[in-house]
């Protein structure tokens, strides 16, 4: 990491960037309020061999010892805020994303969109390509589902979040989605991560159910390394010996990640618990622990849902959830 002096000029930055490129190293510039740093990702020996102190504007060269670099607070010490038109997500703008596990019909998704918007959701989710544990379970409506989701989102002014399973679908899904989700099962699909790093839409990256926090951050690093800095991390529960819930929400990962990374982190209480009666308490905990948002599965009629009905709350319950989160956020001096 090359730390530039306060008041550094563009020419001075360009000179460093040019040198880095010349020695085959990819520069990543981060302009902060107080300092500009240039992340130099490449062979450490090659970088260390340059007399950086002779370049004007360079204050120091500091190695980042952590295995992840660009996602770390060492590289960028101001929180990253994700914004898609009016949707903002970060420490001062708690983001509520809601919607069904799967897009099932026009009626279902429209009804959901209208209701969650009224309740205070800021974005709508819904799967059209579903990564199901069983190959015989409902796999999603594909492009038809994407169209329905986009239409419903547009009619309510809600940006759309949907999962992408395969690099072959990027172009198609990106046509309809505002934020591309990488599911828990694909967190270590490094080709997919890198490809999504090469396109511009924000990525919502879910934690793999057997991934440590460090592995989670390394997965995010794959995306940032390719140039896309707009990543939302999502804690969705991990697999433990406990079987009273579908997964175990690792609530401590929220403050842990806040100490390590500038990326926003949200909580998915639905997949974490697998039980609709636990969605509200876990969502409350997420706000209290300092998460930047939640993503909740909501269905107009959970009993009839094609997937994850047992963990989906209905429209009225969602309305209550938002009201409660507002109170908790208010007590902590945050606004929803
Ligand atoms: C989802 O959000 O629809 C989903 C499949 O979640 P996860 O990848 O966390 O299991
Ligand atoms: Mn689901």
């Amino acid at each position: 990491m090359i730390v530039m002096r306060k008041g550094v000029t563009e020419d001075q930055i360009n000179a460093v960037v040019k040198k880095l490129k010349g020695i085959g190293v990819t520069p990543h510039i981060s302009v902060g309020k107080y300092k500009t740093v240039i992340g130099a990702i490449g062979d450490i020996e090659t970088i260390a061999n340059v007399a950086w102190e002779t370049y004007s504007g360079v204050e120091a060269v500091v190695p980042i010892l952590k295995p992840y670099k660009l996602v770390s607070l060492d590289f960028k010490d101001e929180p990253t805020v994700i914004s898609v038109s009016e949707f903002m997500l970060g420490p001062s703008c708690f983001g509520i994303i809601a919607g069904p596990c799967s897009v099932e019909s026009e009626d279902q998704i429209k009804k959901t969109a209208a209701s969650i918007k009224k309740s205070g959701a800021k974005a709508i989710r819904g799967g059209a390509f579903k990564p199901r544990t069983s190959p015989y379970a409902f796999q999603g409506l594909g492009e038809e589902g994407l169209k329905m989701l986009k239409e419903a989102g547009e009619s309510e002014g809600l940006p759309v979040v949907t999962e992408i399973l395969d690099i072959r679908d990027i172009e198609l899904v990106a046509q309809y989605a505002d934020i591309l989700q990488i599911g828990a099962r694909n967190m270590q699909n490094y080709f997919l991560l890198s490809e999504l790093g090469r396109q511009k839409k924000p990525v919502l990256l879910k934690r793999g159910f057997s991934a440590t926090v460090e592995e989670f951050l390394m997965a995010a690093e794959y995306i940032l390394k390719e140039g896309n800095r707009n990543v939302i991390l999502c804690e969705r529960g991990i697999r433990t010996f406990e079987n009273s819930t579908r997964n175990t929400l690792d609530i401590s990962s929220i403050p842990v990640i806040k100490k390590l990374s500038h990326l926003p982190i949200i909580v998915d209480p639905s997949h974490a618990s697998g039980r609709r009666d636990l969605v509200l308490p876990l969502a409350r905990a997420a706000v209290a622990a300092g998460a930047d948002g939640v993503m909740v599965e909501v269905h107009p009629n959970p009993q009839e849902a094609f997937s994850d009905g047992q963990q989906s709350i209905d429209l009225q319950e969602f309305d209550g959830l938002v009201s409660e989160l507002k109170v908790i956020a208010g007590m902590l001096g945050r606004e929803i």
Side-chain angles (χ1 to χ4, degrees), residues 10-282:
E10 212 164 297
D11 284 349
Q12 290 169 330
I13 294 173
N14 288 341
V16 172
V17 166
K18 193 170 162 213
K19 179 66 187 171
L20 285 170
K21 284 186 179 163
I23 57 171
V25 171
T26 312
H28 296 265
I29 305 172
S30 163
V31 182
K33 224 186 276 169
Y34 305 106
K35 63 177 182 187
T36 293
V37 301
I38 304 174
I41 309 251
D43 179 54
I44 191 150
E45 295 268 309
T46 315
I47 297 166
N49 273 337
V50 177
W52 293 110
E53 64 282 2
T54 64
Y55 281 71
S56 58
V58 171
E59 184 174 272
V61 179
V62 186
I64 300 181
L65 298 174
K66 294 191 185 83
Y68 45 85
K69 322 278 181 197
L70 303 174
V71 306
S72 87
L73 275 176
D74 298 336
F75 176 62
K76 178 172 181 262
D77 59 7
E78 287 158 46
T80 291
V81 174
I82 306 295
S83 77
V84 182
S85 51
E86 261 139 67
F87 172 81
M88 302 258 282
L89 193 143
S92 57
C93 29
F94 192 88
I96 301 182
I97 305 168
C101 181
S102 307
V103 180
E104 298 166 5
S105 68
E106 219 171 276
D107 182 55
Q108 170 236 26
I109 197 71
K110 278 198 164 149
K111 227 183 234 166
T112 307
S115 178
I116 61 167
K117 169 78 181 191
K118 245 189 238 151
S119 300
K122 297 288 189 283
I124 186 166
R125 63 147 287 151
F129 293 95
K130 294 303 301 175
R132 306 304 302 283
T133 301
S134 163
Y136 305 113
F138 176 61
Q139 305 286 312
L141 295 181
E143 188 170 2
E144 271 317 289
L146 292 174
K147 279 185 191 157
M148 292 175 193
L149 181 63
K150 184 180 162 85
E151 237 179 76
E154 267 175 2
S155 69
E156 298 297 335
L158 294 169
V160 159
V161 182
T162 199
E163 180 163 357
I164 181 146
L165 294 181
D166 193 308
I167 50 174
R168 290 169 295 189
D169 297 331
I170 294 179
E171 223 172 289
L172 173 75
V173 178
Q175 265 179 54
Y176 297 99
D178 298 295
I179 298 174
L180 303 171
Q181 177 176 323
I182 297 182
R185 291 159 190 79
N186 265 321
M187 189 209 81
Q188 285 178 313
N189 182 341
Y190 298 124
F191 289 114
L192 182 60
L193 297 168
S194 297
E195 278 301 321
L196 290 183
R198 288 184 203 116
Q199 58 80 55
K200 292 206 160 57
K201 299 221 160 156
V203 176
L204 191 159
L205 175 65
K206 300 190 89 176
R207 180 178 179 182
F209 29 70
S210 300
T212 62
V213 164
E214 186 168 286
E215 288 162 343
F216 189 19
L217 294 175
M218 296 288 271
E221 184 82 11
Y222 268 89
I223 304 170
L224 271 75
K225 184 173 175 290
E226 297 305 323
N228 187 350
R229 304 240 182 112
N230 291 315
V231 173
I232 303 167
L233 302 169
C234 178
E235 163 61 43
R236 47 77 75 208
I238 50 173
R239 191 162 275 184
T240 67
F241 55 82
E242 181 53 64
N243 59 10
S244 54
T245 48
R246 183 175 176 182
N247 293 285
T248 299
L249 176 63
D250 181 11
I251 197 75
S252 60
S253 72
I254 307 303
V256 166
I257 286 171
K258 285 276 167 208
K259 290 200 176 236
L260 299 173
S261 178
H262 54 84
L263 293 176
I265 167 117
I266 66 169
V267 166
D268 170 352
S270 311
H271 291 87
S273 65
R275 287 172 44 175
R276 71 195 282 204
D277 60 323
L278 300 183
V279 169
L280 176 61
L282 294 192

